[in-house]
Amino acid sequence: MHPGPQNLITDIPGLRVGNAQDAALKSGCTVLLGDAPFVASVAVHGGAPGTRETDLLAPDKMAPGVDALVLSGGSAFGLASAQGVMDALHAMGRGFPVLSARVPLVPAAILFDLLNGGDKDWSDNPYPALGRAALQQAATRFALGSHGAGTGAQTAMHKGGLGSASLILDDGTTVGALVAVNPIGSVTTPSGRHFWAAPFEFGTEFGGLGPDPAGFAPMPPSRKAQAMAMQGNTTIAIVGCDLALDKAQCHRLAVAAHDGLARAIVPSHTPMDGDLVFALGTGSRRLEDPAAQLAQAGHAASLCLARAIARAVWEATPAPGDPLPCLRDELAG
């Protein structure tokens, strides 16, 4: 297996991603859009999730597919990003048909970025407009780091961000991940100079820093906890592939992908994190050997997610008033 040509989730044909952010707000949202509705499900392994329309992704629910998925900052306020996306899709004629009506289906998940130094004293919720703007920007190429849902994200020790990665498997299947990284845990080892995800890196996609030669050591005190207390965390992600999966298979793909989150963030899945992974299949490739292909796709999704998490932190850029440093700046200093 090897990364796709862009090393982004949009290496999966038929997917586009758009970002929108507000520098003063220090927050934003990210929209993943399909050229056509796609099958999706979700797995929530954190103790503090914030979601919209995730119940319909269960295998026993009737909705056959969704039009878009939204990752947003803003805590519960950010769930309104999906309303902006839904309204814009409706104007485009997209949506689940119900007789003469159409209802766009837009599941969403949020992370907490309300204590990152941005101006949160708004009179009208800014997130519906951010959602609409992100949808308008949807394309096969998009920015990583301090953009979209990753704009105001923070990890235990460094600024977080938005990340993505892809893999093309030996049978031609394309797998990808998209993630907004805002955990209570650390993406770097105790030395602060290496990524937990280093064993899974391709080339120098997140700096080529290599594994930490020091081995296991206690983690230093969390900078994030000292600056913002223990509340307000979450890593939210989307993994996908071009296989024709049903919702039960998408759920299994999401469960497997959580392994990548645990490989890249220490600790992960805590009571104070809302760790969540959406999974989707666009359906352009048939399953010839469902069990074997799903197992391989799940493994690849976990690798993509671990790499995307590290890329998010590696690509983060500083902004005035940030509570935490960017990793690249700290290494350079």
Side-chain angles (χ1 to χ4, degrees):
M1 60 178 72
H2 56 87
Q6 300 183 102
N7 201 16
L8 299 172
I9 195 171
T10 47
D11 285 327
I12 300 170
L15 297 183
R16 290 174 282 154
V17 171
N19 290 324
Q21 53 279 323
D22 183 314
L25 187 67
K26 281 197 176 183
S27 188
C29 74
T30 297
V31 177
L32 182 142
L33 177 68
D35 290 346
F38 51 81
V39 178
S41 191
V42 66
V44 182
H45 289 183
T51 61
R52 169 175 164 150
E53 292 274 49
T54 51
D55 283 353
L56 61 80
L57 300 178
D60 63 330
K61 301 303 185 289
M62 66 174 292
V66 301
D67 293 286
L69 296 169
V70 174
L71 307 178
S72 182
S75 188
F77 300 103
L79 292 174
S81 297
Q83 188 62 52
V85 174
M86 182 180 179
D87 293 345
L89 287 171
H90 184 262
M92 295 163 56
R94 294 281 298 261
F96 182 70
V98 184
L99 298 178
S100 61
R102 285 192 173 272
V103 182
L105 299 179
V106 186
I110 49 85
L111 56 81
F112 185 100
D113 59 3
L114 300 180
L115 301 177
N116 62 5
D119 181 8
K120 307 303 194 293
D121 189 24
W122 62 73
S123 56
D124 295 310
N125 189 329
Y127 287 95
L130 285 169
R132 184 183 289 268
L135 181 68
Q136 292 171 346
Q137 294 298 315
T140 56
R141 297 196 66 84
F142 57 96
L144 303 183
S146 302
H147 295 272
T151 299
Q154 310 284 340
T155 76
M157 306 305 289
H158 301 98
K159 194 168 181 179
L162 185 76
S164 190
S166 69
L167 283 173
I168 299 177
L169 310 188
D170 291 344
D171 67 357
T173 299
T174 302
V175 178
L178 175 70
V179 62
V181 182
N182 186 60
I184 195 170
S186 180
V187 176
T188 52
T189 62
S191 71
R193 304 188 66 83
H194 301 270
F195 286 105
W196 290 112
F200 312 107
E201 185 174 16
F202 281 79
T204 59
E205 61 185 345
F206 42 90
L209 305 176
D212 195 329
F216 178 80
M219 291 298 297
S222 168
R223 294 169 175 167
K224 184 176 184 178
Q226 293 170 349
M228 291 171 276
M230 296 290 284
Q231 303 301 317
N233 312 284
T234 284
T235 298
I236 46 178
I238 302 168
V239 299
C241 65
D242 52 3
L243 294 172
L245 304 182
D246 60 26
K247 283 202 282 187
Q249 291 166 328
C250 283
H251 175 72
R252 181 50 47 189
L253 185 68
V255 169
H258 269 284
D259 289 353
L261 197 152
R263 290 169 181 155
I265 301 170
V266 178
S268 58
H269 304 132
T270 76
M272 293 80 74
D273 284 283
D275 295 342
L276 171 151
V277 178
F278 292 111
L280 66 92
T282 61
S284 62
R285 294 178 61 87
R286 293 178 55 189
L287 284 171
E288 304 294 342
D289 186 350
Q293 286 176 272
L294 184 57
Q296 184 70 359
H299 171 56
S302 72
L303 298 179
C304 285
L305 183 50
R307 294 162 51 224
I309 289 168
R311 292 191 81 195
V313 173
W314 183 248
E315 297 295 341
T317 51
D322 282 347
L324 300 179
C326 292
L327 175 61
R328 282 203 200 190
D329 292 345
E330 194 164 66
L331 292 176

